[in-house]
Amino acid sequence: MKFSIAEAEDLVSSIFERNGVLPQNARSVARALVASEAAGQSGHGFRRIPVYVRQALVGKVDGRARPAVTRLKPGVLSIDANLGYAYPAIDCAIEALPDMAREQGIALAAIHRSHHAGVMALTVERFAEMGFVALMFANAPASMAPWGGSRPLYGTNPIAFGAPVGGADPLVIDLALSKVARGKIMAARQKGETIPGDWALDRNGRPTTDPEEAIEGTMVPAGEAKGAALALMVEILAAAVTGSNFAFEASSLLDDKGSPPSIGQTIIAIDPVSTGGAAFTERLSFIAGEIEKQENVRLPGRRSQGIRKRALEEGIVIESDILAEIQKL
């Protein structure tokens, strides 16, 4: 069925409210999931609804939690997600960091006791639309082994970057440090599809096309040893810096078993004007133009932005299988 963005947000929000989630939290989660789906990121969109709801029902995530915000230093914000969904805590960072960054030139939000951060491109893009350069780091439950090892210690641990471009949509870079995002494997499992053989390894370290074996095994890091090293860097920035669980301490985001994952996110906002870059957006527009002059070259983030614009104009489709599943909720 096709829905407008507003209709989809109302539907998703109502599902969470009916399952005991605070209205303001339900709306925050709904906005994030619908935006992810509208951007073509289905692994972080509607297919997350059933497990998000089941986790709330068993207490693996607290749908009634309110984030607690503390300004530790002039440029440092600590946000306790209180074992609730990540999106309300992220909304707090988006509300507070801009004024801090304008005042200090740079500001950081450390989010702890948190949950799945979704499509982080959508978070950094919100800062970029306000004129800021933004970086975001998030750890996730263990799914990747150190390079040469076999025991998962790191998550897929995405990194996101956003920056304003003069006269154009922001430049947005969002990448998981596994070869593909784990959400794509979850989506393949839900659809009963196979996956490419170079995405993941089974428990015995062998390449697999079975998404069930992939989820039980390990993800292949992007860039091999380099990707594994970057995943460790994100563990430090997102977990150690915020006081959250490391990946290997966190429970799965894909089921309703165990204790809350209690993972972390770090967001950094930079005011390029405060740091001396008065012509920043024009300079970025210049390099973006040079990149796009080349045939068959597209700036990172442009595909998702285009998909999202079409969704705003034409609506969004909820596939039959997932629509039937969420209607039961």
Side-chain angles (χ1 to χ4, degrees):
M1 288 182 65
K2 182 173 281 189
F3 297 79
S4 69
I5 297 297
E7 289 169 341
E9 286 183 3
D10 287 344
L11 171 64
V12 175
S13 184
S14 70
I15 290 169
F16 283 94
E17 285 189 52
R18 291 183 185 193
N19 284 277
V21 176
L22 283 179
Q24 59 266 43
N25 291 346
R27 181 59 61 172
S28 177
V29 172
R31 280 197 302 264
L33 296 182
V34 172
S36 298
E37 195 74 31
Q41 300 290 336
S42 60
H44 296 292
F46 297 140
R47 292 187 178 276
R48 293 275 174 169
I49 296 172
V51 71
Y52 272 23
V53 169
R54 290 198 301 271
Q55 289 175 349
L57 292 174
V58 301
K60 188 171 181 176
V61 64
D62 185 354
R64 305 191 70 78
R66 300 175 187 270
V69 181
T70 305
R71 190 166 179 176
L72 300 176
K73 300 281 185 179
V76 179
L77 204 66
S78 173
I79 303 176
D80 185 353
N82 277 319
L83 304 180
Y85 295 109
Y87 306 115
I90 291 170
D91 287 344
C92 290
I94 291 169
E95 182 179 347
L97 283 187
D99 286 344
M100 294 169 61
R102 290 188 189 98
E103 180 182 350
Q104 307 296 325
I106 186 169
L108 178 149
I111 302 173
H112 63 286
R113 298 210 300 165
S114 192
H115 194 257
H116 177 235
V119 178
M120 299 192 330
L122 298 171
T123 297
V124 295
E125 187 175 52
R126 289 167 73 181
F127 284 102
E129 287 170 344
M130 292 185 280
F132 298 96
V133 176
L135 286 156
M136 184 171 179
F137 308 92
N139 75 327
S143 60
M144 243 176 11
W147 187 246
S150 59
R151 178 189 165 209
L153 289 182
Y154 312 145
T156 53
N157 291 11
I159 297 172
F161 170 85
V165 178
D169 290 329
L171 170 65
V172 178
I173 299 168
D174 185 356
L175 50 95
L177 294 176
S178 53
K179 192 160 189 175
V180 298
R182 196 165 169 85
K184 290 188 176 181
I185 293 179
M186 185 187 79
R189 181 181 66 173
Q190 286 182 320
K191 294 177 182 179
E193 298 174 348
T194 59
I195 60 172
D198 60 349
W199 282 10
L201 309 175
D202 65 16
R203 283 182 171 182
N204 298 312
R206 297 174 302 204
T208 181
T209 60
D210 184 334
E212 288 286 355
E213 291 182 353
I215 287 172
E216 294 297 322
T218 60
M219 304 289 290
V220 174
E224 301 181 338
K226 294 178 183 178
L230 286 171
L232 173 58
M233 179 193 77
V234 174
E235 286 292 336
I236 294 166
L237 285 169
V241 166
T242 67
S244 302
N245 278 343
F246 286 118
F248 64 89
E249 298 176 298
S251 62
S252 174
L253 293 170
L254 303 179
D255 61 38
D256 56 2
K257 300 175 178 62
S259 57
S262 195
I263 48 181
Q265 294 96 31
T266 293
I267 303 172
I268 301 169
I270 301 167
D271 180 5
V273 175
S274 299
T275 57
F280 177 83
T281 57
E282 289 75 14
R283 292 291 293 165
L284 200 52
S285 179
F286 175 55
I287 191 172
E290 290 298 308
I291 293 168
E292 291 182 316
K293 279 180 184 177
Q294 298 191 37
E295 191 175 355
N296 300 321
V297 174
R298 179 173 56 196
L299 284 173
R302 289 293 185 254
R303 177 180 173 275
S304 289
Q305 288 166 339
I307 293 171
R308 198 159 76 248
K309 286 176 183 176
R310 285 196 298 274
L312 285 168
E313 295 171 1
E314 302 172 7
I316 193 167
V317 173
I318 303 181
E319 295 177 32
S320 298
D321 64 327
I322 195 64
L323 182 62
E325 193 170 354
I326 65 177
Q327 282 178 334
K328 295 175 185 176
L329 300 172

